[in-house]
Amino acid sequence: MSEPLYLGDHARVTPDKPALIHGPTGAAISYREMDERSNRLAQYLYALGLRPGDRFALLMENNMRYLEICWAALRSGLTAVPVNRFLTPQEVAYIVQDSDAKVLISSYALRDTAAALLAIDETPRLAHLMVDGTIDGWQSYEQAVAAHAPERLAEEWLGATMLYSSGTTGRPKGVVRAQAVGKVTDGPARREPMLSYKFASDTVYLSPAPLYHAAPLGYCLYTQYLGGTVVIMDKFDAAQALQMIEQYRITHSQWVPTMFVRMLKLADAERRAHDISSLRVAIHAAAPCPVEVKKQMIAWWGPILYEYYGASEGNGVTSIDSADWLAHPGSVGRTKLGVLHICDEEGHELPAGQAGLIYFERDEAPFHYHNDPEKTRQAQHPLHPTWTTLGDIGRLDEDGYLYLTDRQSFMIISGGVNIYPQAIEDALTLHPDVLDVAVIGVPNAEMGEEVKAVVEVAPGVQPSESLALALIDFLRGKIGRHMIPRSVDFIDQLPRLPTGKLRKNELRKPYWNS
């Protein structure tokens, strides 16, 4: 048999094999069920009028329906737009509107956000579907798809997902990656295969992270693409994750460094209480992993850790295994996709050992930002349009190993989640007691970084602990809860240049050099 392309192949060959398991309860969906469910949704969306190239958005927790919804897009030429479930209704509305989504799918668990969204989003939608229940203005997902046949569309076109990635302005932008165009039967669904890491049909993959993130969603779909089994958690819990590795004989998993820290902080008895010998591959990315944390993880789990550096944009990837990392501690590896260049601010290439802006060279532009040609251009090298950067700073050693050293935009990465200061600063500026504000990332032993606001108070206002708490409370409901500062410090005057540009390097130094 040729390489499987989509669910239908696995539904035919291994119909009763679990495609998806809800780890906490053991509830499972077979390949036959996953195939039929995604077919029904694809048929429904086609009947609604959606055609290849159209988009729909999904705002859900780690729901058992999540992957079938994505597969409906992948087999019908549509684009699914996953939305961060922790965003405010205003932020969700922006993404739904900006993406030109014709349909919005949510869940009863997120009914409060879904209800508020209807009052904000005034753009007409063909449908608002809700899984696991309904509220006013939302139609039952289950009833909508039940009326349609579980067979494939007459013509199945390659679909995609479009993830939103914020920039230094705080406005999220849709990442549109170059991809193959054609029918499902024409060839593999992926133009750029994910790093394989020994995934196969016998893979049992544990996903402890939110499915709206690029890597967790990508690896879940990749596992099912190859006919393996996905096990999802509602949310990460250190002890529960270890228990699930043992219970489901997990072979593959994907993590962020914060998860490693929390597992390492478990009592020795709890850490050793679970048999994790089935685990063959533990992938990690999203944020730099402290050297000592990774050393401890390799000592505990063995040389099965694989790290990569990349992003939703898919412009390039580096990778490193445990043995190579032990020889090059702190490195994120050598390039697996694209050619690495380290350049100064003018675009001149720098020699090994010098830090600069990281560019990946490709034969053609690998992505663009939806509705934002200017941001797309800013990601390109000034002289080479097919060299692109995400604004990260790093250096190469003489052997071509990449080390991340800084972030051009001072984006904060807390627990593997990207947090952009501008949106927080914009919200705090509206408080009457705030004259000027800067938001920075400061060290946090568990999360890598945590969010701190540094405030210059308005004339006549006295800094105090009660004011700090009031400012934090002021932000609730205005920005995502994961963006709310853990603390507020006060300063006499923020270090700004005459042009108004904030010197965040100077502001950050006392926190990072202490």
Side-chain angles (χ1 to χ4, degrees):
M1 178 181 174
S2 61
E3 180 185 0
L5 296 179
Y6 278 107
L7 295 179
D9 301 278
H10 303 304
R12 184 177 64 255
V13 177
T14 55
D16 298 322
K17 182 177 180 178
L20 178 64
I21 297 174
H22 180 241
T25 64
I29 298 174
S30 69
Y31 269 101
R32 179 195 292 111
E33 292 170 321
M34 184 71 74
D35 179 55
E36 291 178 351
R37 290 180 174 196
S38 62
N39 275 328
R40 288 185 190 275
L41 178 56
Q43 294 280 4
Y44 166 81
L45 294 172
Y46 187 89
L48 208 59
L50 275 69
R51 295 295 182 269
D54 287 337
R55 302 183 182 94
F56 65 86
L58 62 158
L59 172 71
M60 302 174 72
E61 75 285 9
N62 280 11
N63 193 288
M64 290 288 278
R65 294 277 186 177
Y66 208 107
L67 297 182
E68 73 187 56
I69 292 170
C70 291
W71 275 114
L74 296 179
R75 69 191 310 164
S76 63
L78 302 177
T79 296
V81 181
V83 182
N84 182 339
R85 62 160 295 194
F86 295 109
L87 296 179
T88 65
Q90 292 83 358
E91 291 166 328
V92 174
Y94 171 78
I95 292 175
V96 174
Q97 292 168 349
D98 184 73
S99 68
D100 305 314
K102 295 183 180 297
V103 172
L104 177 58
I105 304 174
S106 189
S107 67
Y108 192 74
L110 300 183
R111 57 192 177 277
D112 291 342
T113 300
L117 186 60
L118 287 185
I120 301 168
D121 180 16
E122 298 178 354
T123 305
R125 308 285 164 207
L126 293 176
H128 292 84
L129 302 179
M130 182 167 283
V131 172
D132 297 334
T134 59
I135 59 174
D136 289 345
W138 291 78
Q139 180 184 1
S140 167
Y141 172 95
E142 291 84 357
Q143 290 180 12
V145 301
H148 294 270
E151 284 86 33
R152 293 182 174 189
L153 292 171
E155 289 187 338
E156 290 189 308
W157 297 89
L158 298 175
T161 58
M162 183 169 79
L163 284 298
Y164 267 70
S165 176
S166 295
T168 54
T169 63
R171 273 293 196 184
K173 291 300 175 186
V175 178
V176 182
R177 295 177 58 171
Q179 64 177 58
V181 176
K183 295 181 179 179
V184 169
T185 53
D186 290 341
R190 301 176 180 277
R191 184 170 187 158
E192 298 293 353
M194 300 185 71
L195 296 172
S196 66
Y197 294 126
K198 306 174 186 175
F199 277 67
S201 60
D202 65 346
T203 292
V204 183
Y205 172 76
L206 176 65
S207 183
L211 292 176
Y212 61 76
H213 274 307
L217 179 59
Y219 277 111
C220 285
L221 293 173
Y222 186 53
T223 298
Q224 293 179 339
Y225 174 83
L226 296 176
T229 296
V230 172
V231 179
I232 61 171
M233 299 175 64
D234 294 326
K235 61 181 180 179
F236 173 74
D237 175 87
Q240 187 183 59
L242 295 174
Q243 181 263 323
M244 288 189 181
I245 292 173
E246 177 179 27
Q247 179 180 350
Y248 296 106
R249 307 305 295 159
I250 300 297
T251 63
H252 292 65
S253 54
Q254 197 259 343
W255 314 84
V256 298
T258 299
M259 296 176 182
F260 289 160
V261 171
R262 292 183 181 181
M263 289 188 287
L264 286 168
K265 285 186 175 181
L266 293 172
D268 282 348
E270 192 164 21
R271 284 171 51 187
R272 301 179 190 283
H274 301 286
D275 178 5
I276 60 171
S277 61
S278 61
L279 197 58
R280 306 175 203 159
V281 173
I283 308 162
H284 73 97
C289 186
V291 170
E292 187 56 35
V293 168
K294 187 159 180 178
K295 284 181 178 178
Q296 291 181 43
M297 287 302 301
I298 294 174
W300 178 16
W301 285 8
I304 64 169
L305 270 67
Y306 294 79
E307 183 174 4
Y308 71 88
Y309 164 68
S312 303
E313 284 81 351
N315 61 331
V317 178
T318 68
S319 181
I320 192 167
D321 62 19
S322 293
D324 248 3
W325 186 88
L326 290 170
H328 303 83
S331 173
V332 293
R334 302 176 71 179
T335 184
K336 299 295 182 183
L337 177 64
V339 178
L340 274 170
H341 301 276
I342 306 297
C343 300
D344 63 19
E345 291 184 359
E346 286 74 41
H348 303 125
E349 199 152 3
L350 298 171
Q354 290 193 26
L357 203 55
I358 302 169
Y359 285 92
F360 283 99
E361 175 188 354
R362 301 286 297 278
D363 292 335
E364 58 184 357
F367 72 93
H368 69 269
Y369 292 110
H370 181 61
N371 288 339
D372 200 335
E374 177 58 28
K375 184 175 181 181
T376 301
R377 182 65 190 91
Q378 290 173 3
Q380 297 170 344
H381 189 277
L383 301 177
H384 306 284
T386 60
W387 297 15
T388 54
T389 181
L390 305 176
D392 290 332
I393 303 296
R395 62 178 175 84
L396 290 170
D397 66 16
E398 295 290 347
D399 297 321
Y401 286 86
L402 177 65
Y403 296 77
L404 302 178
T405 58
D406 210 334
R407 295 173 186 85
Q408 186 186 49
S409 63
F410 296 107
M411 175 184 72
I412 301 165
I413 300 182
S414 182
V417 177
N418 296 347
I419 298 173
Y420 299 88
Q422 187 67 53
I424 311 171
E425 292 165 353
D426 289 348
L428 265 179
T429 300
L430 300 177
H431 194 284
D433 293 342
V434 173
L435 180 65
D436 200 1
V437 60
V439 172
I440 59 174
V442 298
N444 179 291
E446 181 180 15
M447 306 295 285
E449 292 180 282
E450 69 179 60
V451 180
K452 178 182 285 291
V454 182
V455 171
E456 182 180 339
V457 298
V461 176
Q462 291 298 315
S464 65
E465 180 62 25
S466 61
L467 176 58
L469 294 174
L471 293 177
I472 292 173
D473 189 63
F474 175 76
L475 291 172
R476 301 189 194 284
K478 295 180 174 63
I479 57 175
R481 63 185 183 187
H482 63 290
M483 301 169 66
I484 293 176
R486 293 266 190 107
S487 59
V488 176
D489 284 356
F490 296 98
I491 193 170
D492 290 338
Q493 185 175 18
L494 285 171
R496 289 191 182 273
L497 297 172
T499 60
K501 184 178 180 180
L502 183 65
R503 297 159 64 185
K504 280 197 174 179
N505 264 328
E506 181 178 330
L507 194 61
R508 284 164 48 94
K509 278 181 182 178
Y511 299 96
W512 288 92
N513 294 338
S514 60

